């Protein structure tokens, strides 16, 4: 299988798509790093991750298209069939495609995350090193899972165009589901109606204080609440969103009970997401290998 991986990596190096994806990823990382720098002065009791996941999504999209296109080419030019005729097992072929895609995706990830980390250096230098390492691992596993999905879907469809569309659509649907439910999830525990105090300052120096009731439009309970919690647990893209929103309490003595509870929850989510993404990567690779072995390529 080593020869198959080496040959595939050479094809990636010779493909213009690889360099286009690299440029897109680097550009998105630079934009993401510049965006992070805007928040370097907003540090208080809690320091929140300043990263915008949209810039990382751009790099993930570049990796998905690159992998699907390059894997699909193996079918369109008959290379897969030639490999089988020459004696290579389908499991080895599939795993070589996934492995080569993982290597290339790691490079795409680094091109995006290094500029982001430089721009957000004030954040990563303030939190514990172990937490920072877990943050980077969690983001890396998100990139790799989407790469595995792209390779697996394209291999199973055995058509380049269909593989690109299906791989991108799969990722898009998963992320759209996050967008539809995150407002409800992150407001779980908030009251349906709350009272806020508004202050109005007048020219004569007086301040008028008024109280106003606010309705929480994201309030849910019962079965809908359970569905949102399940979706958060199951959807792999929530790991990326949770990690991008990670925050660390710099001074626990200055934090109230709610802040302390939220800080622990964020740390627990970071730990959970790593194991969840590792599990998904393993399941996706194993399932893809099994299904590709069963596929009739004649």
């Amino acid at each position: 299988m080593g020869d198959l991986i080496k040959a595939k990596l050479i094809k990636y190096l010779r493909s213009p798509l690889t360099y286009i994806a690299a440029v897109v990823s680097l550009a998105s990382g630079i934009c993401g790093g510049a965006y992070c720098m805007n928040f370097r002065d907003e540090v208080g009791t809690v320091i929140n991750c300043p990263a915008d996941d949209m810039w990382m999504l751009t790099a993930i999209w570049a990796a998905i298209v690159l992998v699907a296109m390059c894997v699909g080419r193996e079918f369109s030019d008959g290379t897969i069939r030639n490999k089988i005729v020459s004696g290579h097992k389908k499991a080895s072929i599939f795993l070589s495609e996934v492995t080569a895609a993982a290597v290339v995706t790691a490079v795409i990830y680094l091109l995006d995350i290094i500029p982001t980390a430089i721009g957000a250096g004030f954040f990563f230098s303030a939190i514990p090193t172990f937490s920072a390492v877990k943050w980077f691992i969690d983001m890396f596993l998100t990139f790799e899972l989407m790469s595995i999905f792209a390779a697996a879907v394209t291999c199973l469809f055995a058509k380049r165009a269909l593989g690109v569309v299906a791989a991108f659509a799969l990722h898009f649907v998963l992320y759209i589901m996050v967008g539809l439910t995150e407002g409800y999830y992150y407001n779980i525990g908030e009251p349906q109606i709350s009272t806020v105090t508004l202050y109005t300052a007048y020219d004569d120096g007086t301040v008028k204080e008024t109280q106003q009731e606010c309705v929480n439009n994201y309030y849910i309970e019962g079965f809908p609440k359970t569905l949102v919690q399940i979706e958060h647990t199951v959807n792999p893209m929530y790991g990326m969103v949770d990690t991008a929103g990670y925050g660390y309490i710099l001074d626990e003595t200055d934090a109230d009970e709610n802040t302390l509870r939220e800080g622990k929850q964020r740390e627990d989510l970071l730990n959970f997401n790593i194991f969840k993404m590792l599990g998904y990567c393993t399941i996706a690779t194993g399932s893809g290998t099994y299904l590709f072995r069963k596929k009739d390529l004649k």
Side-chain angles (χ1 to χ4, degrees):
M1 191 172 73
D3 292 337
L4 291 174
I5 296 173
K6 181 179 178 181
K8 186 62 182 183
L9 287 174
I10 292 174
K11 285 191 174 184
Y12 273 112
L13 289 174
R14 292 176 177 175
S15 173
L17 290 173
T18 301
Y19 301 97
I20 294 173
V23 171
V24 170
S25 181
L26 180 61
S28 65
I30 292 173
C31 292
Y35 176 84
C36 290
M37 293 179 67
N38 295 325
F39 301 92
R40 60 184 179 275
D41 296 327
E42 298 184 8
V43 179
T45 302
V46 178
I47 183 169
N48 292 303
C49 179
D52 185 346
D53 60 3
M54 180 53 65
W55 299 113
M56 284 169 277
L57 280 173
T58 304
I60 289 177
W61 293 337
I64 289 173
V65 174
L66 171 64
V67 170
M69 287 290 289
C70 290
V71 173
R73 185 177 179 181
E74 299 289 290
F75 292 93
S76 62
D77 62 12
T79 303
I80 292 289
R81 188 169 298 172
N82 292 337
K83 289 178 180 179
I84 294 175
V85 171
S86 63
H88 293 290
K89 295 181 179 180
K90 285 191 284 187
S92 298
I93 294 172
F94 178 83
L95 290 173
S96 68
E97 292 291 340
V98 170
T99 303
V103 173
V104 174
T105 301
V107 175
I108 297 295
Y109 167 77
L110 290 174
L111 289 171
D112 177 76
I113 210 65
I114 289 175
T116 301
I118 293 173
F122 67 93
F123 170 77
F124 294 111
S125 61
I127 67 177
T129 302
F130 189 46
S131 294
V133 170
K134 289 188 292 185
W135 191 96
F136 288 115
I137 291 175
D138 197 13
M139 285 297 181
F140 173 69
L141 291 174
T142 302
F143 273 70
E144 291 296 349
L145 179 61
M146 294 303 114
S147 171
I148 294 171
F149 279 166
V153 166
T154 307
C155 282
L156 295 177
F157 281 114
K159 292 184 179 180
R160 180 164 54 176
L162 188 57
V164 173
V165 173
F168 192 86
L170 175 60
H171 174 266
F172 186 74
V173 168
L174 289 173
Y175 192 72
I176 286 295
M177 289 173 65
V178 172
L180 293 174
T181 61
E182 64 177 338
Y184 297 98
Y185 177 77
Y186 292 120
N187 276 277
I188 289 177
E190 297 295 326
Q192 184 175 11
I193 299 176
S194 58
T195 302
V196 297
T197 303
L198 302 177
Y199 298 92
T200 305
Y202 296 96
D203 294 337
D204 59 2
T206 61
V207 178
K208 181 180 179 182
E209 178 181 318
T210 57
Q211 291 188 333
Q212 180 177 326
E213 284 190 345
C214 291
V215 178
N216 179 9
N217 293 325
Y218 289 105
Y219 179 82
I220 52 174
E221 58 183 4
F223 186 63
K225 176 181 175 181
T226 302
L227 286 179
V228 168
Q229 290 174 318
I230 291 174
E231 198 271 330
H232 176 270
T233 302
V234 173
N235 192 332
M237 288 309 300
Y238 249 120
M240 180 179 182
V241 175
D242 287 338
T243 303
Y246 175 74
Y248 185 80
I249 302 174
L250 297 176
D251 185 6
E252 292 189 355
T253 61
D254 196 34
D256 56 33
E257 184 177 345
N258 289 334
T259 302
L260 291 173
R261 183 170 59 252
E262 183 178 351
K264 185 179 184 305
Q265 182 183 20
R266 290 186 176 188
E267 195 70 33
D268 290 341
L269 282 173
L270 187 64
N271 296 330
F272 171 73
N273 286 327
I274 290 177
F275 289 104
K276 180 173 76 173
M277 298 305 288
L278 282 172
Y280 274 133
C281 287
T282 303
I283 293 171
T285 302
S287 300
T289 303
Y290 175 78
L291 293 174
F292 189 67
R293 286 175 58 191
K294 298 293 184 180
K295 184 175 180 61
D296 185 3
L297 298 174
K298 295 181 181 180

